[in-house]
Amino acid sequence: MADLRVAASTFPFLYSHDGLGALKHLHAQGYRAFEMMIFPPHCWPSELTPAKRREYKSWLADSGSAITSFCYPLLDNNPNSVCAKMRRYTLDRYKEAIDLAADWGCPYVCAIPGPVNSLIDPPVPWMRAWFIEGMRELVDFAKGSGVEIILENVPFTFLPKAADMLAVAEEIGPEVGINFDVCNSAYIKEDVPAAIRLLGKRIKNVHISDSGYAVFKHERLGTGIVEPAPAAAALKEIGYSGMTVLEIITDALTPGADPDGDIKASHDILAASGWAAR
């Protein structure tokens, strides 16, 4: 079976580069497939002029590259907030991302359930209903655009487990896929290969990085709990043919940080575990 394909995330360059600058930087490291972070001032749809949007498209075409997924991280948004205005704000930003993804030929926009980290969280049935309602709205909005909504498993949300993701995706509808994050699954001590097999064909995109149990991180592979080889075997077993995104979160502006080195070291480990080399 062919090696799994690898894309690089622009996450390490949120503050050091604009989105296009990050793409060019990663291209110089040998990448042609990318996950773009939707985050201001890095790449924020409402702030991109028509000329800037065309500049991205031209560069992608000229360089033989592609943005294969968009990720809108949980920082200033919450699709299952108790505040209806926050839910509306979040969905409207996702719609802007869907429009931009359609313009740039990006097939997936990753949606993340809202966080649960307060002393008294809202009842899970409330959050579930709000989230499902919002995702159905996004699915309807994306129809005919060539863009699909994919849901990500994240430890500090109300849907951290693969089984949670699958149940909600099935309730939303068959159009919704899963962005399976290997590190997030390992961090909550799931059986990662079993989670992959459970999700099966629902998996449309994969994230990988590493963390310890003491502090939740997304660091270079080989530094923590993530075992890439069993994950690769399970992905091949389900016939996965999508991208695996190196989501290494090392802030390029931090003194002593080396995101390029972290990405390279991580990709070397992937290449020894069933993924394609650079």
Side-chain angles (χ1 to χ4, degrees), residues 119-193:
L119 293 175
I120 303 179
D121 291 313
V124 169
W126 295 12
M127 292 188 287
R128 183 186 179 92
W130 288 328
F131 185 66
I132 289 171
E133 178 184 27
M135 294 305 104
R136 284 176 174 165
E137 181 178 331
L138 294 184
V139 167
D140 287 342
F141 182 82
K143 283 181 179 176
S145 69
V147 179
E148 297 180 39
I149 304 301
I150 53 177
L151 313 180
E152 182 174 351
N153 55 310
V154 176
F156 51 82
T157 72
F158 77 103
L159 298 171
K161 299 178 182 179
D164 300 327
M165 287 276 95
L166 182 59
V168 165
E170 288 179 343
E171 190 166 347
I172 294 167
E175 308 91 342
V176 174
I178 302 295
N179 180 91
F180 182 71
D181 191 302
V182 175
C183 182
N184 291 350
S185 181
Y187 183 76
I188 63 169
K189 300 183 180 180
E190 276 190 317
D191 180 329
V192 171

